[in-house]
Coordinates of all heavy atoms in Angstrom, one line a residue:
A132 N -33.2 22.5 -36.0 CA -34.5 23.1 -35.6 C -34.4 24.6 -35.5 O -35.4 25.3 -35.7 CB -34.9 22.5 -34.3
K133 N -33.2 25.1 -35.1 CA -33.1 26.6 -35.0 C -32.7 27.2 -36.4 O -32.4 28.4 -36.4 CB -32.0 26.9 -34.0 CG -32.4 26.6 -32.6 CD -31.3 27.0 -31.6 CE -31.7 26.7 -30.2 NZ -30.6 26.3 -29.3
G134 N -32.6 26.4 -37.4 CA -32.3 27.0 -38.7 C -30.8 27.1 -39.0 O -30.4 27.7 -40.0
N135 N -30.0 26.5 -38.1 CA -28.5 26.5 -38.4 C -28.1 25.4 -39.3 O -28.9 24.4 -39.6 CB -27.8 26.3 -37.1 CG -28.0 27.5 -36.1 OD1 -28.4 27.3 -35.0 ND2 -27.8 28.7 -36.6
R136 N -26.9 25.5 -39.9 CA -26.5 24.4 -40.8 C -25.1 23.8 -40.3 O -24.1 24.3 -40.6 CB -26.3 25.0 -42.2 CG -27.6 25.1 -42.9 CD -27.5 26.0 -44.1 NE -27.2 27.4 -43.7 CZ -26.8 28.4 -44.5 NH1 -26.6 28.2 -45.7 NH2 -26.6 29.6 -44.0
P137 N -25.2 22.8 -39.4 CA -24.0 22.2 -38.8 C -23.3 21.3 -39.8 O -24.0 20.7 -40.7 CB -24.6 21.5 -37.6 CG -26.0 21.2 -38.0 CD -26.5 22.2 -38.9
Y138 N -22.0 21.2 -39.6 CA -21.2 20.2 -40.4 C -20.6 19.3 -39.3 O -19.9 19.8 -38.4 CB -20.2 21.0 -41.2 CG -19.3 20.1 -42.0 CD1 -19.6 19.7 -43.3 CD2 -18.0 19.6 -41.5 CE1 -18.8 18.8 -44.1 CE2 -17.2 18.8 -42.3 CZ -17.6 18.4 -43.5 OH -16.8 17.6 -44.3
F139 N -20.8 18.0 -39.5 CA -20.2 17.1 -38.5 C -18.9 16.5 -39.0 O -18.8 16.0 -40.1 CB -21.2 16.0 -38.2 CG -20.7 14.9 -37.3 CD1 -20.4 15.2 -36.0 CD2 -20.4 13.6 -37.8 CE1 -19.8 14.2 -35.1 CE2 -19.9 12.6 -37.0 CZ -19.6 12.9 -35.6
L140 N -17.9 16.5 -38.1 CA -16.6 15.9 -38.4 C -16.5 14.7 -37.5 O -16.5 14.8 -36.2 CB -15.5 16.8 -38.1 CG -15.4 18.1 -38.9 CD1 -16.1 19.2 -38.1 CD2 -14.0 18.5 -39.2
P141 N -16.3 13.5 -38.0 CA -16.2 12.3 -37.1 C -14.9 12.3 -36.4 O -14.0 13.1 -36.6 CB -16.3 11.1 -38.1 CG -16.1 11.6 -39.4 CD -16.3 13.1 -39.4
L142 N -14.8 11.3 -35.5 CA -13.6 11.2 -34.6 C -12.3 11.4 -35.4 O -12.1 10.7 -36.4 CB -13.6 9.8 -34.0 CG -12.6 9.7 -32.8 CD1 -13.1 10.4 -31.6 CD2 -12.5 8.2 -32.5
G143 N -11.5 12.3 -35.0 CA -10.1 12.5 -35.6 C -10.2 13.0 -37.0 O -9.2 13.1 -37.7
G144 N -11.4 13.5 -37.5 CA -11.5 13.9 -38.9 C -11.1 12.8 -39.9 O -10.7 13.1 -41.0
S145 N -11.3 11.6 -39.4 CA -10.8 10.4 -40.2 C -11.9 9.9 -41.1 O -12.6 8.9 -40.8 CB -10.2 9.3 -39.3 OG -9.0 9.7 -38.8
T146 N -12.0 10.6 -42.3 CA -12.8 10.1 -43.3 C -12.0 10.0 -44.6 O -10.8 10.5 -44.6 CB -13.9 11.1 -43.6 OG1 -13.3 12.4 -44.0 CG2 -14.8 11.4 -42.4
G147 N -12.5 9.5 -45.7 CA -11.8 9.4 -46.9 C -11.3 10.8 -47.3 O -10.2 11.0 -47.7
L148 N -12.2 11.8 -47.2 CA -11.9 13.2 -47.6 C -10.8 13.7 -46.7 O -9.8 14.3 -47.2 CB -13.1 14.0 -47.4 CG -13.0 15.5 -47.9 CD1 -12.7 15.6 -49.4 CD2 -14.3 16.3 -47.6
G149 N -10.9 13.5 -45.4 CA -9.8 14.0 -44.5 C -8.5 13.4 -44.8 O -7.4 14.0 -44.7
A150 N -8.5 12.1 -45.1 CA -7.3 11.3 -45.4 C -6.5 11.9 -46.6 O -5.3 11.7 -46.7 CB -7.6 9.8 -45.5
L151 N -7.2 12.6 -47.5 CA -6.5 13.1 -48.7 C -5.4 14.1 -48.2 O -4.4 14.3 -48.9 CB -7.5 13.9 -49.5 CG -8.6 13.1 -50.2 CD1 -9.5 13.9 -51.1 CD2 -8.0 11.9 -51.1

Side-chain angles (χ1 to χ4, degrees):
K133 287 180 178 146
N135 295 126
R136 279 163 297 167
Y138 179 88
F139 174 66
L140 301 92
L142 193 71
S145 284
T146 62
L148 184 64
L151 294 182

